[in-house]
Amino acid sequence: LRTLFSITEDASLSCGLKSFPKTNSWKEGTDCCSWDGVTCDHLNAHVIALDLSCSWLYGNFPSNTTLFLLPHLQKLNLAYNDFNHSKIPSEFGRFTSLFYLNLSNTLFAGEVPSQVSHLSKLVSLDLSFWANVLTIDKHALEGLVHNLTEVRHLFFDGMDMSSVNAHVFMNLSSSLRSL
């Protein structure tokens, strides 16, 4: 990830003092478990959480990034970076262990891929953004609602959901706490 994006402070302006380029600590040949934003399971050294929120990342988000080679990832936070209106890669659907996904204010654009509905362990999903740049089609949302049996928090602020009938939310899990 470190080499895929430009680092520009403008990409995380909304973060204020909390923002800094976390990937600057990512040095080849060092233990990735000591890098800023990386959390590992200390029993087997698997990367289980990645928090790159407010990290000044700017650029198109490629679908072939090594990020998608982290099968044990449980938490992923990419909020408040600028992915330059690129599409959310369908490869996010590979994270079958993910229970927390935050893609808010990332400047992803286009349609939310239906593969997000494969993340059946999600407890929290945040796709919100202040500008209407993400859409979700009714079939993708129906799949999401049907498969997310553990979900407690869904954030869709600013998303274009004009093709969605409100009745789809009637089928949400009884575990839902906020929508």
Side-chain angles (χ1 to χ4, degrees):
L1 277 178
R2 183 172 190 254
T3 57
L4 293 174
F5 301 102
S6 299
I7 303 296
T8 175
E9 190 171 1
D10 291 347
S12 299
L13 280 178
S14 304
C15 295
L17 297 175
K18 296 185 300 184
S19 76
F20 66 98
K22 294 176 185 171
T23 56
N24 280 356
S25 72
W26 295 19
K27 305 288 186 226
E28 199 169 325
T30 61
D31 179 13
C32 70
C33 296
S34 67
W35 297 348
D36 285 334
V38 176
T39 303
C40 293
D41 172 353
H42 293 292
L43 293 176
N44 50 30
H46 293 143
V47 175
I48 57 169
L50 195 55
D51 181 358
L52 291 177
S53 60
C54 302
S55 292
W56 303 8
L57 301 178
Y58 173 81
N60 291 323
F61 204 99
S63 60
N64 63 349
T65 174
T66 55
L67 170 69
F68 299 119
L69 300 177
L70 297 172
H72 304 284
L73 206 58
Q74 298 171 6
K75 294 178 75 175
L76 178 59
N77 188 350
L78 297 174
Y80 292 96
N81 288 291
D82 184 346
F83 297 128
N84 197 31
H85 298 281
S86 53
K87 293 184 181 300
I88 297 175
S90 60
E91 286 77 8
F92 274 95
R94 292 183 186 172
F95 293 129
T96 55
S97 298
L98 214 59
F99 64 83
Y100 176 88
L101 178 58
N102 188 342
L103 300 178
S104 66
N105 297 291
T106 52
L107 271 175
F108 275 120
E111 208 163 85
V112 175
S114 61
Q115 289 83 352
V116 171
S117 68
H118 298 166
L119 306 177
S120 61
K121 293 182 180 176
L122 278 181
V123 172
S124 180
L125 174 62
D126 192 340
L127 298 174
S128 58
F129 190 67
W130 55 268
N132 208 359
V133 293
L134 276 178
T135 61
I136 191 161
D137 124 310
K138 81 176 197 169
H139 299 295
L141 184 62
E142 286 170 0
L144 196 65
V145 167
H146 181 262
N147 291 338
L148 298 185
T149 58
E150 303 296 318
V151 72
R152 290 193 185 110
H153 309 283
L154 287 175
F155 302 98
F156 295 148
D157 309 42
M159 280 185 64
D160 178 1
M161 298 176 64
S162 57
S163 72
V164 173
N165 293 325
H167 79 275
V168 74
F169 293 108
M170 301 288 288
N171 297 326
L172 279 171
S173 165
S174 60
S175 65
L176 190 67
R177 299 290 176 258
S178 58
L179 174 62

